[in-house]
Amino acid sequence: MQPKKKTLRPIVTGSSVLGIKYKDGVILASDTLGSYGSLARFRDIRRIVPITKHTVIGGTGEFSDFQEITKILRQKIIENQELVESGKEEDELLPSEIHSYLSRVLYGRRNKFNPLWNDVVVAGFEKGKVHMGTVDLWGSYFEDDIIATGYGTYFALPLMRKAYKKDMERDKALEVLRDCLTVLFYRDCRTINRYVFAEITKEGVNITDPVEIETKWEIADWQEGKL
Amino acid sequence: MFDLEKDFLYDLSKEVKTGTTVMAVTFENGVIIAADSRTSSGSYAVNRVTDKLTPVQDQIYCLRSGSAADTQIISSYVSYYTNMFSIEEGSQPTVKKAAHMFREFLYQNKQYLHAAIICAGWDPIEGGSVYSLPLGGSIVKQPFATGGSGSTYLYGYCDMNFKENMTEEEAEKFVTYGITEAIARDGGSGGIVRKAIIDKNGVRRKTVYGNKLKKFWEK
């Protein structure tokens, strides 16, 4: 008899993923930490990965499930490629199609009480416009110009909402993301100061190498002596 | 078993704890104590610049880990009663007396408390001393002690690097690197390293800011 296989609880987890649209495209950001409970165990993982030339996904939650999602989607792309080559399909899968497909996969799993324990951000460029949204472990589908998952929903979203303007400049978008990532590093116990940015424009996808962001600790001097 | 409500959704309603790393080390002239600066509530950092080095007397400090509320009130009590002591006896209490007072509180109220304390300081009789007071209320005198959630990552480091009668410089490096490494690995620890050097001349406090912490292997 086969053992019952269910995700009982997340083991290796990733924290927030942030996303913001700007004039020429969209930028996603996350840190590179895989936590093992409270242990900062894997400090150089990639929680934002490319799926096609024009789509990336970012994942919060159970890392093994995120890797599985990456596999499932890339397999779908390959299947679609074969159909394109044999003339049955028009073109490469669009970000919105990938997003839609993923939401059905996640919803199906939730119905079987065996979720892929993730909050996934799907972002890409299609037909001259940006597509960005999330799907979560329940199968809930959501689209918006500013996106945050995990602790980011509490700390980053309000900051991003204040700063966001339609067709904002690239530098401004990066500044907002850096501010939000810094706040998250201060306040989320499951983060590290090591980040990756994924930029998608009509040219394609560019994912940076990990960088560090400056932090401020001057307020420590105001706290000394008190309990 | 993982409870969706308790362990996932209502993280922020968890009791405020100093998920922590603290260290106290005796060296040739006294003791050096050090701690990180994060107070967490589940995985939310309530205070990122906490001062966990709590004075009990002029030259006796305590390092707090566990429930923030429990350890704060107990340190207040011990501070108060040791003050009474110095008025009645006419001399400063020894670190041993303060540590045993902590023990009394922790042991007699063990069902209600979630507090682990390291009591360290300098007195003219023993010089520098470090007393560990873990959860159940036992008291153990040690040449050095570590505590808090981050201390698990320091047992190997301490066993390999501790020496008796270190110089002040060696001992300062020992604790700073220790707290730094624990901050790097423990989600319950973070922020800056606060240190205090306690010897016959008094207490000298120092801080190492988060962005100035030494970087060890990072990947």
Side-chain angles (χ1 to χ4, degrees):
Chain A
M1 170 167 137
Q2 282 287 11
K4 277 213 177 113
K5 280 192 276 184
K6 289 196 270 198
T7 308
L8 293 168
R9 63 182 180 96
I11 306 290
V12 177
T13 55
S15 193
S16 321
V17 175
L18 312 176
I20 191 165
K21 280 191 198 171
Y22 71 103
K23 194 170 68 174
D24 305 320
V26 60
I27 310 178
L28 264 57
S30 79
D31 69 6
T32 62
L33 176 63
S35 297
Y36 189 71
S38 67
L39 167 61
R41 190 163 181 187
F42 304 109
R43 299 188 289 187
D44 192 32
I45 64 169
R46 295 292 178 271
R47 298 193 292 108
I48 301 179
V49 298
I51 297 295
T52 68
K53 270 205 322 303
H54 300 283
T55 323
V56 296
I57 58 167
T60 294
E62 171 59 48
F63 190 56
S64 66
D65 286 346
F66 178 68
Q67 291 178 315
E68 182 66 13
I69 287 170
T70 307
K71 254 196 192 163
I72 292 171
L73 293 179
R74 286 183 174 159
Q75 183 57 36
K76 212 46 182 178
I77 300 300
I78 292 170
E79 285 171 22
N80 185 258
Q81 254 326 95
E82 289 162 6
L83 292 172
V84 170
E85 275 156 22
S86 69
K88 294 202 184 104
E89 261 297 321
E90 262 191 32
D91 211 343
E92 187 180 67
L93 280 175
L94 300 172
S96 54
E97 291 173 325
I98 292 168
H99 191 183
S100 198
Y101 172 67
L102 187 56
S103 83
R104 297 303 83 205
V105 171
L106 294 181
Y107 183 65
R109 289 288 297 255
R110 150 249 150 107
N111 284 339
K112 292 189 276 188
F113 285 88
N114 185 202
L116 290 160
W117 207 292
N118 295 111
D119 210 332
V120 184
V121 181
V122 182
F125 217 88
E126 64 185 48
K127 304 195 177 111
K129 284 191 311 153
V130 172
H131 171 92
M132 180 164 67
T134 62
V135 211
D136 65 11
L137 68 164
W138 307 109
S140 292
Y141 175 105
F142 178 71
E143 273 180 56
D144 205 347
D145 296 346
I146 47 181
I147 290 288
T149 58
Y151 260 71
T153 46
Y154 304 101
F155 294 106
L157 223 40
L159 297 175
M160 289 160 90
R161 282 173 181 162
K162 197 132 197 246
Y164 176 74
K165 287 196 169 45
K166 205 157 152 52
D167 295 322
M168 65 196 298
E169 289 298 324
R170 180 178 182 273
D171 289 336
K172 193 78 217 308
L174 278 169
E175 196 193 318
V176 175
L177 285 179
R178 275 195 214 103
D179 275 341
C180 293
L181 290 169
T182 313
V183 170
L184 286 169
F185 175 65
Y186 289 150
R187 296 298 176 177
D188 180 0
C189 296
R190 309 284 181 258
T191 56
I192 52 168
N193 193 346
R194 199 158 193 274
Y195 312 101
V196 146
F197 294 87
E199 200 173 331
I200 311 144
T201 56
K202 64 179 192 304
E203 259 86 63
V205 169
N206 177 39
I207 303 182
T208 65
D209 286 331
V211 291
E212 196 181 301
I213 298 179
E214 269 221 5
T215 51
K216 294 201 163 77
W217 296 95
E218 281 76 27
I219 56 166
D221 297 331
W222 309 342
Q223 167 82 38
E224 199 179 281
K226 297 189 185 59
L227 286 172
Chain B
M1 177 53 199
F2 183 76
D3 182 304
L4 185 68
E5 272 193 17
K6 272 195 272 189
D7 301 324
F8 194 68
L9 294 175
Y10 296 111
D11 191 61
L12 290 170
S13 63
K14 281 211 158 86
E15 188 192 351
V16 173
K17 291 193 161 156
T18 42
T20 278
T21 315
V22 292
M23 284 176 86
V25 158
T26 54
F27 71 104
E28 66 186 353
N29 299 333
V31 297
I32 298 189
I33 58 176
D36 74 307
S37 68
R38 175 175 284 180
T39 310
S40 48
S41 176
S43 56
Y44 172 57
V46 174
N47 188 348
R48 64 180 177 104
V49 287
T50 324
D51 189 359
K52 301 178 192 179
L53 277 35
T54 308
V56 172
Q57 282 297 311
D58 288 343
Q59 284 166 293
I60 307 175
Y61 269 65
C62 72
L63 298 162
R64 306 178 290 110
S65 60
S67 156
D70 289 349
T71 54
Q72 282 174 14
I73 199 67
I74 290 168
S75 346
S76 291
Y77 269 123
V78 173
S79 186
Y80 173 76
Y81 282 116
T82 48
N83 272 334
M84 294 287 102
F85 176 94
S86 51
I87 292 169
E88 282 167 22
E89 295 282 317
S91 63
Q92 294 295 91
T94 56
V95 183
K96 190 178 199 175
K97 280 259 161 22
H100 278 267
M101 209 172 281
F102 271 113
R103 182 264 180 204
E104 207 54 28
F105 276 103
L106 294 175
Y107 179 75
Q108 301 297 356
N109 298 296
K110 58 160 84 188
Q111 328 73 300
Y112 309 114
L113 298 172
H114 192 93
I117 291 196
I118 297 175
C119 183
W122 185 92
D123 60 58
I125 298 166
E126 290 285 328
S129 23
V130 170
Y131 289 85
S132 226
L133 297 122
L135 242 41
S138 26
I139 177 164
V140 184
K141 186 177 197 299
Q142 296 179 299
F144 71 92
T146 57
S149 52
S151 65
T152 45
Y153 309 109
L154 297 179
Y155 286 103
Y157 168 80
C158 288
D159 288 349
M160 291 174 78
N161 292 309
F162 176 75
K163 295 183 317 244
E164 300 232 53
N165 295 119
M166 285 189 278
T167 63
E168 184 183 306
E169 205 186 306
E170 288 174 323
E172 205 184 318
K173 243 192 199 159
F174 178 73
V175 298
T176 312
Y177 288 172
I179 303 286
T180 305
E181 176 58 14
I183 285 176
R185 284 294 188 176
D186 179 33
S189 306
I192 60 178
V193 182
R194 290 202 197 269
K195 297 182 277 195
I197 302 160
I198 312 172
D199 57 20
K200 70 175 190 299
N201 301 319
V203 181
R204 278 170 289 142
R205 296 202 58 147
K206 293 191 187 181
T207 309
V208 185
Y209 290 129
N211 43 5
K212 301 273 187 299
L213 292 175
K214 187 172 162 91
K215 290 190 202 295
F216 302 109
W217 175 254
E218 291 254 284
K219 287 210 174 167

